[in-house]
Amino acid sequence: MNIVDSEQIVVLLSGLGYSQVDSAEQADLVLLNTCSVRDRAERKVYGHLGRFKPIKDKRPELIIGVGGCVAQQEGEKMLEKVPYLNLVFGTHNINSLPDLVQQAEQQHLRGCETDFLDRETRLNLFPERSFQETVSRFVTVMQGCDNFCSYCIVPHVRGREISRPSLEVVAEVQKLVSEGTKEITLLGQNVNSYSLKDKGEASFPQLLHQVNKIEGLHRLRFATSHPKDMTDELIECFGSLDALCHHIHLPFQSGSDRILKLMNRGYTRDDYLSKVEKLRKSCPQIRLTTDIIVGFPGEKEEDFQATLDLMKEVGFADAFTFLYSPRVETAAAKMADKDSALVKQDRFDRLLELQHQTSSVIWNSDLGDIQSVLVEGKSKRGEGDVFGRTTWNRIVNFSGSIQLVGKVVPVKITDVFRNAHLGELV
Ligand code: SAH
Ligand code: SF4
């Protein structure tokens, strides 16, 4: 989400004559695009701002701004707390940025815009995409979230859910593909609730069918999906759409029905497992990744064991594992939370250990295989190496020419590391 927002920020500011530089020391304008989902995000943002203070002391004309979820949440408070901060813009207010910057440049005014906008205004404000020579790009299909999972700040800071018209989404993908993009990830907080509230609009599976047909698109992905909206029609897409990758990120959060209910997730453990079974029936090669929260208020050892059991039963290729962190305004923040940090950390470590073992077995099973890799660019490993991804979104580094970028090539997997494979072009 923030990658797409940052792209829009760059486009809007280029209209004022700004271009990107490599460091804050070289910049006339520094913007922090923030996320407040986890981990004392607010504190981190204030910490980052502190690092810009010496630069601002040396060059008072430097403009400093904060956008995204933390800006939405904190608003004017940020200007009060940080006297050298020039501007704050919320999640619906990226389009106000040029005005805020000009007011800071010309009148030395400090500004804050965090009003939520109505649906029509938001739908009209979707930006034209900039040209980029990038193999893989994101396309936003919906914004906001109406699910109100009890731990989650997203509905509070990103506002109500809206879906873009499918015609617009398809046209945007067509444009990006005509400019050379080969892989598209359809993006939203909860992509599979796309258009559920818009009568007459294409459903998410229908949208996938339309995008899949676009000539020149090699690969299609989407993120993130909610298990409660994982319909049979969507599951069948994995068996029938040739561009759709054999990977799904399907957060389950907890394996305990009691905790799932407290989380307001809208599905049970059995619902989740039955969707996984159907996914595997539709596409036997599919690999799953997930998000899990440990230490939700009131989680007992038996609830945690249910989470471990579910992980063992499914066998996720990877998982993002999070220690629960209370977020202001959320329902869970008001729930009694008695377990000590030590107990939670111990559970977290056990969970991570299990996931490492499972990931290792799954990724090591690729050794010696020849896999199709969409080449994305130069590898961090150094000169002469490129990298790409498999259908499972796994990075593969291998020795090859930069001319391969944008092509799908066969690569034999020769070594397996924690975060990537090493291979040889066949
Ligand atoms: N919309 C997506 C992802 C939202 S945020 C979904 O519903 O799956 C990404 C992940 O952050 C969530 O899946 C959850 O695992 C984690 N998360 C969100 N709020 C959290 C909190 N308060 N504490 C810890 N982890 C949290
Ligand atoms: Fe947050 Fe739940 Fe919405 Fe995901 S679905 S963004 S976890 S409220």
Side-chain angles (χ1 to χ4, degrees):
M1 222 64 70
N2 282 22
I3 294 176
V4 177
D5 288 350
S6 292
E7 181 186 318
Q8 188 188 356
I9 290 170
V10 169
V11 172
L12 286 170
L13 293 178
S14 68
L16 297 184
Y18 285 93
S19 58
Q20 284 174 280
V21 289
D22 295 329
S23 70
E25 283 73 18
Q26 297 165 279
D28 299 313
L29 168 66
V30 174
L31 293 178
L32 287 181
N33 191 9
T34 61
C35 165
S36 60
V37 170
R38 293 175 296 271
D39 286 350
R40 298 181 285 274
E42 306 80 12
R43 236 192 277 171
K44 280 191 194 163
V45 172
Y46 286 112
H48 273 296
L49 286 170
R51 281 197 241 142
F52 301 136
K53 170 106 182 12
I55 311 175
K56 180 94 175 177
D57 286 342
K58 260 192 240 155
R59 285 194 291 122
E61 69 284 6
L62 172 71
I63 298 172
I64 302 179
V66 181
C69 303
V70 176
Q72 184 64 46
Q73 194 185 308
E74 298 276 286
E76 295 271 354
K77 254 194 283 172
M78 296 203 89
L79 292 177
E80 286 160 28
K81 284 192 194 162
V82 186
Y84 53 90
L85 181 64
N86 298 87
L87 56 98
V88 176
F89 58 103
T91 54
H92 290 190
N93 313 92
I94 295 178
N95 283 277
S96 305
L97 191 54
D99 283 346
L100 288 167
V101 170
Q102 276 180 320
Q103 284 164 15
E105 276 173 350
Q106 292 160 14
Q107 299 155 52
H108 305 289
L109 288 179
R110 304 174 78 210
C112 173
E113 292 264 354
T114 52
D115 286 347
F116 274 158
L117 305 178
D118 64 40
R119 182 177 177 276
E120 289 312 312
T121 314
R122 289 165 73 198
L123 285 173
N124 286 330
L125 283 177
F126 269 91
E128 276 286 314
R129 302 300 297 273
S130 60
F131 173 76
Q132 279 179 16
E133 270 182 281
T134 314
V135 172
S136 177
R137 294 188 76 176
F138 296 108
V139 168
T140 304
V141 299
M142 49 91 66
Q143 281 183 340
C145 182
D146 289 348
N147 285 319
F148 290 92
C149 300
S150 64
Y151 51 82
C152 184
I153 200 163
V154 169
H156 306 272
V157 290
R158 291 253 166 203
R160 298 287 59 74
E161 186 177 300
I162 55 161
S163 296
R164 292 176 82 186
S166 55
L167 278 175
E168 238 178 65
V169 173
V170 171
E172 186 168 313
V173 176
Q174 269 164 341
K175 175 179 182 285
L176 300 183
V177 170
S178 73
E179 292 172 354
T181 294
K182 307 290 181 197
E183 177 182 89
I184 291 288
T185 303
L186 301 179
L187 202 62
Q189 288 299 341
N190 183 10
V191 271
N192 49 343
S193 74
Y194 172 82
S195 87
L196 285 182
K197 290 170 190 153
D198 302 309
K199 278 208 185 86
E201 182 49 281
S203 66
F204 188 61
Q206 285 164 346
L207 178 67
L208 286 179
H209 275 269
Q210 290 175 25
V211 173
N212 183 68
K213 275 194 233 142
I214 293 171
E215 200 70 41
L217 179 71
H218 291 344
R219 286 184 175 178
L220 175 58
R221 302 180 188 276
F222 56 85
T224 299
S225 325
H226 195 302
K228 78 175 167 52
D229 296 319
M230 201 70 212
T231 58
D232 288 350
E233 200 189 347
L234 178 52
I235 290 173
E236 278 158 24
C237 289
F238 284 95
S240 58
L241 301 186
D242 54 356
L244 190 61
C245 290
H246 298 162
H247 164 233
I248 183 165
H249 185 69
L250 194 61
F252 77 91
Q253 314 296 2
S254 169
S256 151
D257 283 342
R258 194 177 71 81
I259 298 294
L260 285 172
K261 198 155 187 211
L262 287 173
M263 287 178 163
N264 191 31
R265 286 290 286 177
Y267 55 86
T268 62
R269 169 199 183 86
D270 282 350
D271 294 338
Y272 187 90
L273 287 170
S274 108
K275 307 234 169 174
V276 172
E277 200 183 318
K278 286 182 183 173
L279 278 162
R280 288 191 163 140
K281 223 175 246 165
S282 165
C283 175
Q285 314 80 350
I286 203 164
R287 288 185 186 174
L288 289 101
T289 54
T290 197
D291 292 348
I292 309 165
I293 298 178
V294 180
F296 185 82
E299 181 188 75
K300 299 198 179 93
E301 180 60 25
E302 68 208 52
D303 299 308
F304 176 66
Q305 282 301 333
T307 294
L308 293 182
D309 286 349
L310 193 146
M311 288 169 75
K312 284 182 201 150
E313 196 161 339
V314 176
F316 294 98
D318 247 315
F320 294 105
T321 52
F322 307 107
L323 260 178
Y324 168 74
S325 89
R327 311 276 74 203
V328 284
E329 291 185 68
T330 60
K334 294 170 200 103
M335 295 178 189
D337 189 5
K338 293 195 197 102
D339 275 339
S340 71
L342 271 178
V343 167
K344 293 185 179 195
Q345 188 62 47
D346 173 64
R347 285 184 194 153
F348 186 80
D349 293 345
R350 284 188 277 155
L351 186 101
L352 213 58
E353 177 59 29
L354 173 63
Q355 187 52 51
H356 280 171
Q357 285 169 12
T358 315
S359 294
S360 166
V361 170
I362 293 176
W363 296 122
N364 273 297
S365 71
D366 289 345
L367 266 178
D369 273 3
I370 295 174
Q371 299 188 343
S372 296
V373 173
L374 171 60
V375 186
E376 290 186 35
K378 272 191 198 160
S379 160
K380 286 187 196 139
R381 286 175 62 86
E383 271 314 293
D385 280 4
V386 288
F387 83 98
R389 282 168 210 267
T390 66
T391 188
W392 299 304
N393 213 21
R394 178 76 169 170
I395 290 180
V396 183
N397 293 295
F398 62 99
S399 177
S401 148
I402 202 76
Q403 309 290 335
L404 295 176
V405 170
K407 299 201 167 74
V408 177
V409 294
V411 178
K412 184 172 178 180
I413 308 303
T414 55
D415 215 341
V416 175
F417 299 105
R418 173 77 192 99
N419 293 316
H421 282 348
L422 189 64
E424 274 167 13
L425 187 64
V426 177

